[in-house]
Amino acid sequence: MSQSHAPDARTRAAELREKIERANHCYYVLDEPEITDLDYDLMLRELEALEQAHPELATPDSPTRRVGAKAKGGFAEVRHAIPMLSLNNAFEQEGDTDRERFREVAEFERRIEQTLDRRTPVFSVEPKLDGLAISLRYEDGVFVQGATRGDGETGEDVTANLRTVRAIPLHLRGEGWPRVLEVRGEVIMLRKDFEAFNERARIHGEKTLANPRNGAAGSLRQLDPSITAKRKLSFFAYAVGEVRGGELPLTHSKTLAQLREWGFPVSPEVDTARGLDGLIAYYHRIGEKRDRLPYDIDGVVYKLDDYEGQRVMGFVSRAPRWAIAHKFPAQEQTTTVEAIEIQIGRTGAATPVARLAPVQVAGVTVTNATLHNADQVARLDVRVGDTVIVRRAGDVIPEVVRVIPEQRPAHTHPWHMPSHCPVCGSALLREEGEAAWRCSGGLICAAQRKEALIHFAARRAMDIEGIGERFVDALVDFGYVHTPADLYKLTLDDFLEMKRRADERDGTTPETVKQGKVATKWAENLIEAIEASKQTTLPRFLFALGIMHIGESTAKTLAAWLGSLAVIRRMPAAVLRVLPDVGSEVAASIAGFFAQKGNQKVVDALLASGITFSDETHPSPKLRQQLDLAVLLDMAGVNKLGPKSTKLLAERFTTLDKLLAAGPAHWVTAGLPSAASTNLEGFLAHEKNLKPLREADEAMRELLAAIPQASTAAEAALDGQTVVLTGTLASLSRDEAKERLEALGAKVAGSVSKKTSFVVAGEAAGSKLDKAQELGVPVWDEAQLLALLARHEGGA
Ligand SMILES: NC(=O)c1ccc[n+]([C@@H]2O[C@H](COP(=O)([O-])OP(=O)(O)OC[C@H]3O[C@@H](n4cnc5c(N)ncnc54)[C@H](O)[C@@H]3O)[C@@H](O)[C@H]2O)c1
Ligand SMILES: [Zn+2]
């Protein structure tokens, strides 16, 4: 290399050192890496190459010569009796054959063969666990001190924290241990514990861990051991440090076996291998298994097995010559976000997904990564155009770990959850306190088709026996069914054809077909079950529609108050909201559902296929009251009025007209709490406030007029009649009988008089029955009552 390049090289080396120092600090001290390991390793390699080419540039404190970083603050220092070193790395090179691609490993193995003059030496081969190196000191078999690696010479005393890690023995088992024994190994966080931690953090809107290594390092270096105890950490031993007052076996592999006996966990993947071929075979074997291991590994480690050989090989500045880490393709990579899209799951959950410039992560091309939920996108502040770190480990979906802020281009915008489902166009809704947004288009959303069908056919919904998961898969995949309404169009031939295709796809040919017979009984049964489901009840049907937030009990409430599907379909959210147990969210969901054209079509198609409800009635007479002023005032949104005051006003004035005609505002508001009356007076003083109120009132009247009012005719039938109920009725409760009689205009009284029109006497009727007979009032039995109700209610 010519001298003239030196100034350039000097600048570059200084620049690299600064960047590496910064990365070291973030990684080792803060446990918050800002760049990927790969980018870090590349910088370190470049610096090494520069220092080799220009030895005058090498400084004694260069990061190429040091291990880790000195930790700062918080913990007492521990000096390691025997330094804790790093490992040299072997990366995969370009090439066609294993020997070309693993040149660096080959060189490592050949150097040992030559130095020791030994063919195909034996190695201990181990997974390279991605966690935090620690040293555990045992005196007379008792755990006395634990320390991090730190800069290799001095680490942090994390004894209290390590005591909370279950995998670390506090007393050695068995016998024969040296008086002083230092065991070294890796504290790790299992992938499942890492995922669980992050899942929880995302739900609670807290900071997530970037990766399990971070999780392990960050958790272990908590100043409060009770926090460490809550994070689930694990541990594997892979080496020994100081040994006094005792002996260990002569090879590393035997030492690990001994450690196992004394109670230390050693990875079950640890093995021995002979020569370069043995190393490469191990690399492939573990690489193959990598995704299935319960923890992250970033490579494998080859260690010359016999200690005598290790002694001969010796050390370079920061790593032994008798060991090397053979790295796997990185699990984290940087790439750019090309778009952020929404994916709708089977149950309608909307997950933001980053579309990425394709990138190789741990041996797989990744083009999408999950962003989990809207809160996570906001917390990470991921934007289209950003450079991000993506992580793919195990069979977990790749995820965006963080943004690299320095690389953000100009003119980016924070991302927001779209208001509508990209699949079906329905509104995306979010339940209070929930992280997930959901598509509200259950019936018409292609993404939710299968789930919607399974729900529709469920026992507590339309109760169509025989429509299970596999069936629904075939029905939807082969295009026989798009919405539940299509179920009612299926013919016997459709079913047989579909079954044939499903069997073909699964590679199963049923016995019957082999014998040349076609079984049809199952299809006939299905068609029968579908046919039978047409006779249903209104609550079942409402529940079956899969409207978001509508469980069985809300479905019953709707049916009880509004009586018929025709009425339910027309009700605006403002009206639904006043029904008991129907909050504004549920009301918005119902009204939104029926306002959706696609849903309307499906519901119409279902009705056209002949679905009927055995229990449709008229709106409850109490609905009127409920609707009146309360709704109007509520809709107008008068601040701080509160339900009590609203009710008071509703009772006092009964209609908006009467309220507005009542006189000066302070008369209207007399008796209300002061905040409410001030607000209401202010509100009533402006005509612009009253206009929407009048419009709403009018709309409400129109709505009520449009409701099929069979009850108006029926009401007349019992209008002015007074009925008394006595005894126990077998088929309906006293309350229900009362409600239904009142719906027809009757007055239900508590005692019998001459004015009583008739008495209904059930089982064990007492004094009222006597009184009626005494006064000559007609007495009806239950059957007569039911007939009366049926006649008038049925007259819709
Ligand atoms: N992303 C960043 O900003 C950043 C910054 C600094 C370091 N790093 C990363 O940290 C690593 C360098 O750190 P390092 O000095 O710890 O080197 P290293 O991780 O490459 O190798 C040494 C370490 O491997 C671990 N190890 C796991 N299994 C082992 C086994 N079976 N036997 C022996 N050791 C085993 C030990 O903790 C040991 O200290 C690099 O991978 C680098 O990419 C990243
Ligand atoms: Zn949708």
Side-chain angles (χ1 to χ4, degrees):
M1 190 109 346
S2 74
Q3 271 312 99
S4 64
H5 283 118
D8 277 357
R10 185 178 302 278
T11 320
R12 180 63 184 153
E15 188 186 343
L16 285 169
R17 263 179 218 135
E18 195 193 304
K19 284 189 171 169
I20 293 169
E21 293 295 358
R22 183 190 154 102
N24 278 346
H25 183 76
C26 294
Y27 185 88
Y28 290 113
V29 181
L30 306 179
D31 296 317
E32 284 230 2
E34 278 188 342
I35 58 173
T36 63
D37 286 0
L38 186 74
D39 290 337
Y40 176 88
D41 291 341
L42 290 176
M43 288 200 296
L44 199 67
R45 287 217 146 189
E46 190 186 343
L47 183 60
E48 262 165 13
L50 276 176
E51 289 177 353
Q52 247 166 39
H54 306 277
E56 74 282 4
L57 293 182
T59 56
D61 67 342
S62 169
T64 56
R65 303 199 180 184
R66 277 185 294 122
V67 173
K70 207 170 182 86
K72 62 150 202 240
F75 297 98
E77 291 191 347
V78 175
R79 265 201 85 74
H80 300 299
I82 295 177
M84 293 179 75
L85 297 179
S86 180
L87 290 168
N88 284 324
N89 288 324
F91 290 93
E92 192 172 324
Q93 310 291 305
E94 293 286 309
D96 297 327
T97 66
D98 276 356
R99 293 218 170 221
E100 282 169 16
R101 283 163 46 218
F102 305 138
R103 259 198 315 276
E104 297 183 345
V105 177
E107 273 162 31
F108 160 77
E109 199 266 351
R110 200 183 47 230
R111 197 162 49 237
I112 292 176
E113 285 195 355
Q114 283 171 353
T115 311
L116 302 185
D117 192 19
R118 204 195 290 170
R119 300 284 300 165
T120 58
V122 175
F123 292 90
S124 174
V125 289
E126 309 170 8
K128 185 167 185 294
L129 306 157
D130 207 2
L132 184 73
I134 52 149
S135 184
L136 306 169
R137 189 178 175 87
Y138 291 82
E139 290 177 7
D140 297 316
V142 179
F143 175 55
V144 293
Q145 190 175 56
T148 63
R149 189 182 66 177
D151 65 359
E153 307 279 334
T154 308
E156 299 152 303
D157 185 337
V158 287
T159 313
N161 292 345
L162 286 170
R163 282 186 198 283
T164 71
V165 179
R166 295 236 183 102
I168 294 176
L170 299 177
H171 297 269
L172 298 186
R173 277 201 270 136
E175 52 197 24
W177 7 271
R179 221 183 52 66
V180 173
L181 173 68
E182 246 177 54
V183 172
R184 289 169 177 182
E186 199 90 343
V187 168
I188 57 170
M189 194 179 237
L190 297 181
R191 250 181 230 149
K192 70 168 167 37
D193 295 328
F194 164 76
E195 296 297 337
F197 181 94
N198 275 357
E199 180 72 34
R200 227 193 90 88
R202 281 191 294 267
I203 288 170
H204 292 268
E206 289 157 10
K207 206 157 179 290
T208 48
L209 303 167
N211 52 45
R213 195 218 86 97
N214 252 206
S219 304
L220 192 62
R221 298 170 70 241
Q222 291 288 331
L223 292 177
D224 176 359
S226 71
I227 298 180
T228 311
K230 276 187 216 131
R231 315 272 183 94
K232 290 194 180 139
L233 298 179
S234 306
F235 170 78
F236 282 119
Y238 52 63
V240 288
E242 191 179 20
V243 178
R244 275 197 284 149
E247 298 248 315
L248 286 181
L250 295 177
T251 67
H252 182 68
S253 54
K254 290 208 175 90
T255 301
L256 292 184
Q258 178 64 267
L259 290 182
R260 228 181 229 139
E261 270 170 34
W262 287 335
F264 292 96
V266 173
S267 166
E269 312 307 327
V270 168
D271 203 351
T272 53
R274 205 172 249 289
L276 181 59
D277 290 339
L279 301 183
I280 289 174
Y282 182 73
Y283 177 85
H284 286 312
R285 178 150 69 84
I286 299 296
E288 170 76 23
K289 259 184 140 173
R290 184 187 189 187
D291 278 353
R292 279 173 285 132
L293 293 176
Y295 40 78
D296 272 11
I297 60 175
D298 59 347
V300 288
V301 185
Y302 311 136
K303 298 172 185 168
L304 183 63
D305 198 32
D306 68 295
Y307 289 138
E308 176 54 21
Q310 289 187 6
R311 196 190 54 73
V312 174
M313 291 307 297
F315 298 86
V316 286
S317 63
R318 61 191 289 276
R321 277 208 183 86
W322 44 263
I324 199 165
H326 191 179
K327 292 267 197 151
F328 286 137
Q331 283 172 325
E332 287 178 9
Q333 282 288 7
T334 47
T335 184
T336 52
V337 176
E338 296 181 334
I340 298 176
E341 288 169 8
I342 291 298
Q343 223 161 51
I344 305 295
R346 282 176 69 100
T347 58
T351 307
V353 173
R355 305 279 175 228
L356 306 169
V359 63
Q360 284 277 317
V361 190
V364 169
T365 305
V366 170
T367 52
N368 302 316
T370 182
L371 287 158
H372 296 287
N373 59 44
D375 289 344
Q376 177 81 350
V377 182
R379 204 160 37 240
L380 298 177
D381 189 19
V382 179
R383 304 180 183 191
V384 174
D386 269 342
T387 298
V388 293
I389 297 179
V390 209
R391 172 183 148 82
R392 186 191 84 86
D395 47 14
V396 181
I397 305 161
E399 61 175 350
V400 172
V401 173
R402 70 172 56 198
V403 171
I404 302 182
E406 302 92 76
Q407 298 193 33
R408 170 167 290 167
H411 313 300
T412 60
H413 306 284
W415 181 83
H416 294 291
M417 183 61 96
S419 55
H420 291 88
C421 170
V423 178
C424 71
S426 305
L428 293 178
L429 302 177
R430 175 186 228 182
E431 200 157 351
E432 210 165 307
E434 237 191 50
W437 290 72
R438 282 174 197 284
C439 163
S440 56
L443 272 195
I444 54 156
C445 188
Q448 301 174 64
R449 221 165 248 168
K450 292 179 179 176
E451 205 69 8
L453 279 165
I454 289 170
H455 175 78
F456 184 83
R459 205 162 48 79
R460 282 150 57 218
M462 297 299 276
D463 193 17
I464 309 179
E465 210 179 320
I467 301 223
E469 206 152 313
R470 178 167 182 267
F471 218 87
V472 165
D473 277 351
L475 284 172
V476 172
D477 293 348
F478 298 132
Y480 289 95
V481 168
H482 297 282
T483 77
D486 297 333
L487 282 177
Y488 295 92
K489 296 187 201 129
L490 293 171
T491 64
L492 190 67
D493 286 344
D494 288 337
F495 275 120
L496 298 178
E497 167 80 7
M498 186 201 69
K499 176 78 160 53
R500 196 183 53 68
R501 290 172 67 179
D503 287 338
E504 210 173 85
R505 179 171 71 173
D506 300 354
T508 51
T509 310
E511 278 306 304
T512 45
V513 171
K514 284 190 212 141
Q515 294 161 5
K517 285 187 279 174
V518 180
T520 58
K521 185 71 188 150
W522 64 271
E524 284 159 17
N525 287 344
L526 257 176
I527 287 185
E528 211 168 281
I530 291 172
E531 188 60 31
S533 76
K534 288 181 180 173
Q535 303 297 321
T536 187
T537 65
L538 184 54
R540 270 178 181 275
F541 182 76
L542 288 172
F543 177 60
L545 292 178
I547 307 169
M548 208 161 120
H549 304 319
I550 307 304
E552 284 173 286
S553 86
T554 309
K556 282 185 187 147
T557 303
L558 290 175
W561 278 88
L562 302 173
S564 67
L565 185 63
V567 174
I568 294 169
R569 291 179 75 169
R570 275 208 203 97
M571 284 291 159
V575 174
L576 296 168
R577 192 170 53 177
V578 298
L579 302 181
D581 300 328
V582 179
S584 33
E585 228 169 336
V586 178
S589 169
I590 301 165
F593 178 90
F594 287 112
Q596 231 283 347
K597 283 237 165 59
N599 291 332
Q600 289 170 6
K601 266 200 204 150
V602 176
V603 172
D604 287 341
L606 282 166
L607 294 177
S609 69
I611 288 178
T612 53
F613 314 114
S614 59
D615 56 349
E616 266 195 322
T617 62
H618 312 295
S620 158
K622 281 188 270 176
L623 183 64
R624 288 283 172 84
Q625 277 162 273
Q626 199 88 358
L627 291 183
D628 267 336
L629 204 55
V631 175
L632 294 178
L633 292 175
D634 208 24
M635 282 201 305
V638 178
N639 209 5
K640 290 243 172 59
L641 200 53
K644 259 203 188 139
S645 305
T646 311
K647 194 158 171 257
L648 195 111
L649 290 172
E651 278 165 5
R652 196 184 289 166
F653 298 106
T654 64
T655 68
L656 179 70
D657 280 347
K658 286 183 189 159
L659 184 145
L660 294 179
H666 66 272
W667 292 4
V668 174
T669 62
L672 299 187
S674 68
S677 56
T678 314
N679 280 331
L680 186 58
E681 276 174 39
F683 180 85
L684 294 172
H686 295 287
E687 180 53 34
K688 76 166 182 351
N689 289 337
L690 300 180
K691 194 164 170 259
L693 211 56
R694 288 205 174 90
E695 282 168 6
D697 187 43
E698 203 157 306
M700 190 68 62
R701 271 165 214 295
E702 261 169 38
L703 177 83
L704 286 175
I707 292 174
Q709 289 294 343
S711 48
T712 340
E715 258 169 28
L718 297 187
D719 220 8
Q721 304 215 23
T722 305
V723 184
V724 172
L725 300 169
T726 177
T728 314
L729 300 174
S731 60
L732 67 177
S733 71
R734 182 82 68 97
D735 280 348
E736 194 185 338
K738 182 167 184 273
E739 200 168 295
R740 287 168 71 178
L741 283 163
E742 283 173 348
L744 299 175
K747 183 167 176 286
V748 178
S751 60
V752 185
S753 74
K754 268 194 192 144
K755 285 191 201 144
T756 306
S757 311
F758 59 90
V759 169
V760 179
E763 202 66 26
S767 61
K768 287 180 199 166
L769 177 59
D770 299 341
K771 186 81 182 275
Q773 280 160 349
E774 198 178 296
L775 295 175
V777 172
V779 175
W780 293 21
D781 65 13
E782 186 171 345
Q784 284 172 297
L785 171 70
L786 292 176
L788 173 87
L789 293 176
R791 196 162 63 243
H792 291 304
E793 291 173 344

